[in-house]
Structure formats: structure tokens, C-alpha cells
Amino acid sequence: MNAQRTADLGFARLDLDRGTRTGTPEVVYAAGKTPAQTVACLAALLEGGSPLAWATRVDDATAAAVLGRWPDAVVDADARSAFVGELPAPVGTVLVLTAGTSDGPVAAEVAATLAASGVGCRRVDDVGVAGVHRVLAVAPDLAEADAVVVVAGMDGALPSVVAGLTDRLVVAVPTSVGYGAAFEGLAALLTMLTACAPGVLVVNIDNGFGAGVAAARIARSAQR
């Protein structure tokens, strides 16, 4: 393997060639970083040749700092993400389903990640199993997608239902939505891991970014 470039900022060592190597560039996880640190990381990625630098889990102060440095940056408040540079033209389609409206912020992170990854996204909200007819109503749309992302909290049952209706890979995202025994998403996570229907890939609790990257790679491979 050729030598890989690193930008050493002292507090962070950025992988400048990750995008070329894996198809997904290094993305700045802003939680736990100061606004100035996040801005410095984004600047280093751009200076390293990335056409797009983006950060996840961006709070209001960090969003303001990013816009202060790059007024034309795109800040998606729902997804808690910030983008500096050119968003790629989309190819393919990923269908993103949420079980309920409360799962929306995680689904927004999925959609933002798909956009930054150059993959098209169609989102349908509030199709949880408490009204299973709502899931069945979107069944014809499943065949049109390259992959499906299902975002669900509470009992986390929706991915199993969806996986029983399609031959597409289902990327399941448990969320921390739910009452006490949901254990902040652990119940949904365990339900998804023990899904009866095959073809379900499970990511970590509230990990919309990881789900978006996984679905984007599937969609780009399908388009090839």
C-alpha cells in the first residue's frame, strides 16, 4: 500500500486519503470537540484535497463557528451535520423509513450522510408496526430502492417486518426513543439483532451516520 497522508493538528491526526482508500472520507465527529477544533479539522481536510468536508453531531455553537469561517457552508440542524464544499451528484436510491416521528433526528442524519456520499434518498416517516397497514402501504416502494434503512425505537420491530417484504438489504438503526424498559435503545438493538427475518444489518444505537455509510456503499455498488 502506498504511504497514506496524515494531517497532524496536535489534538487530532486526520486521515487525508481515507476517501480514496475506502470511498468514504474522514468525517469529523464534533461531539466532545470545541467549535475551534472542529473548524480546524474541516479546514485541514479541505486543504488536504477533499472536495467536501463534513462534521456530525454539530451543536449550535459549532454550527455558528462553521458558518463564521465558511458562510456558504450547509448546516442541517435536524441532522446535526455541517458540510463545507461540493455535495456530489446523487446516484441510486435508498429508502429511509422511520417507525415514528420521534425517530426523525436519526433519520435526518441518515439522509444527510447519503447526500454527502453521493446517493439519492427517499424518506417516509411514521410507518411503525402499531399501524402495520402503514408499512404495507409502502411495500411497493421497497423494490425501487437499492437498499432500505429502517430507523426505529420502542420495541424496534419494524426492520423485521420490512425485511419480510423485500429482497433488498435492510439496514436497521435502533434509536434511544422509548419508555423506561427500552433502556435508551438497548431493547430495540437486541430485537433487531435477533430479527426473525434474514437480511437485516444492524448498526449501533442512534448511529444514523453508520447506517448512511453502509447503505451508500450498497447503493453505489448496485449502480456499478
Side-chain angles (χ1 to χ4, degrees), residues 2-215:
N2 295 329
Q4 301 293 297
R5 298 177 302 141
T6 300
D8 191 346
L9 304 184
F11 64 88
R13 291 168 52 82
L14 300 169
D15 184 351
L16 299 178
D17 292 327
R18 187 177 300 176
T20 301
R21 192 173 66 250
T22 71
T24 305
E26 174 147 8
V27 177
V28 181
Y29 182 71
K33 293 182 177 67
T34 67
Q37 287 174 331
T38 297
V39 167
C41 288
L42 292 172
L45 291 170
L46 292 170
E47 290 165 5
S50 177
L52 176 70
W54 99 75
T56 63
R57 301 303 164 100
V58 172
D59 61 18
D60 291 343
T62 299
V66 170
L67 290 170
R69 176 70 180 271
W70 299 282
D72 58 346
V74 175
V75 173
D76 186 331
D78 291 336
R80 294 178 291 172
S81 299
F83 307 93
V84 185
E86 286 286 325
L87 286 169
V91 299
T93 303
V94 172
L95 181 64
V96 179
L97 306 177
T98 68
T101 306
S102 298
D103 301 309
V106 177
E109 186 176 52
V110 175
T113 301
L114 289 168
S117 300
V119 173
C121 172
R122 183 180 172 221
R123 184 171 154 186
V124 181
D125 291 326
D126 199 19
V127 293
V129 297
V132 73
H133 60 284
R134 298 175 301 184
V135 186
L136 298 177
V138 300
D141 300 321
L142 299 173
E144 303 300 321
D146 297 305
V148 182
V149 177
V150 179
V151 185
M154 299 287 188
D155 56 6
L158 183 59
S160 287
V161 176
V162 173
L165 297 172
T166 182
D167 64 349
R168 300 304 193 257
L169 180 68
V170 174
V171 182
V173 191
T175 71
S176 51
V177 171
Y179 295 105
F183 291 108
E184 298 183 339
L186 181 59
L189 172 64
L190 294 176
T191 297
M192 293 174 184
L193 287 172
T194 55
C196 177
V200 177
L201 179 155
V202 185
V203 300
N204 207 348
I205 298 168
D206 291 337
N207 188 9
F209 170 74
V213 169

